[in-house]
Amino acid sequence: ADLKVVLGGGASEDDVRWHNSAILASKSCYIDTMLATPMKESQERQVTFPEITPELWDNMLKFVQDPKAARKMTMADALAVLPMYDKYQFNEGKELCEDVMEEYFKET
């Protein structure tokens, strides 16, 4: 793992996650751009998301990295992660949420 991700307030080690930058960049156009350009994040190898809690982050990554988890995404999960997927350009995650919502509304 070569990329430090600081979440929420960043006050404790519980607010820090370490990731492989290439894998994370492949999931998010936003992160890819930050790491591919001469920005502070690419030089320091650190990305900060103050509005994302560690729990939300873990769910966001679970759904885009684990196909089994993605198939179990609920409407509540989709509503929780979609705003951050959209804001930070996790396009695959956004599509997963849209699929869940589409299925939900077909059933109602």
Side-chain angles (χ1 to χ4, degrees):
D2 64 338
L3 181 66
K4 182 179 184 178
V5 177
V6 180
L7 305 161
S12 74
E13 279 302 307
D14 291 340
D15 296 339
V16 173
R17 302 289 186 272
W18 286 92
H19 295 281
N20 177 298
S21 60
I23 292 172
L24 200 54
S26 75
K27 302 293 181 187
S28 165
C29 297
Y30 178 89
I31 294 170
D32 183 43
T33 299
M34 280 198 303
L35 298 178
T37 57
M39 295 180 71
K40 179 178 91 167
E41 291 81 4
S42 66
Q43 295 165 0
E44 294 179 3
R45 308 306 293 166
Q46 177 175 314
V47 181
T48 302
F49 298 105
E51 74 278 30
I52 301 178
T53 64
E55 296 78 20
L56 180 58
W57 179 259
D58 292 344
N59 276 336
M60 288 172 62
L61 291 190
K62 173 179 71 175
F63 294 129
V64 294
Q65 293 178 333
D66 180 356
K68 287 182 184 178
R71 285 192 294 277
K72 295 178 183 176
M73 181 189 283
T74 66
M75 183 65 158
D77 293 329
L79 290 171
V81 296
L82 180 59
M84 294 300 108
Y85 280 156
D86 186 43
K87 181 174 184 175
Y88 294 111
Q89 301 171 346
F90 282 83
N91 294 328
E92 182 182 336
K94 197 172 147 186
E95 289 173 16
L96 288 169
C97 291
E98 290 167 354
D99 290 346
V100 167
M101 291 177 183
E102 187 176 307
E103 285 302 311
Y104 177 83
F105 288 114
K106 279 183 186 175
E107 295 170 6
T108 58

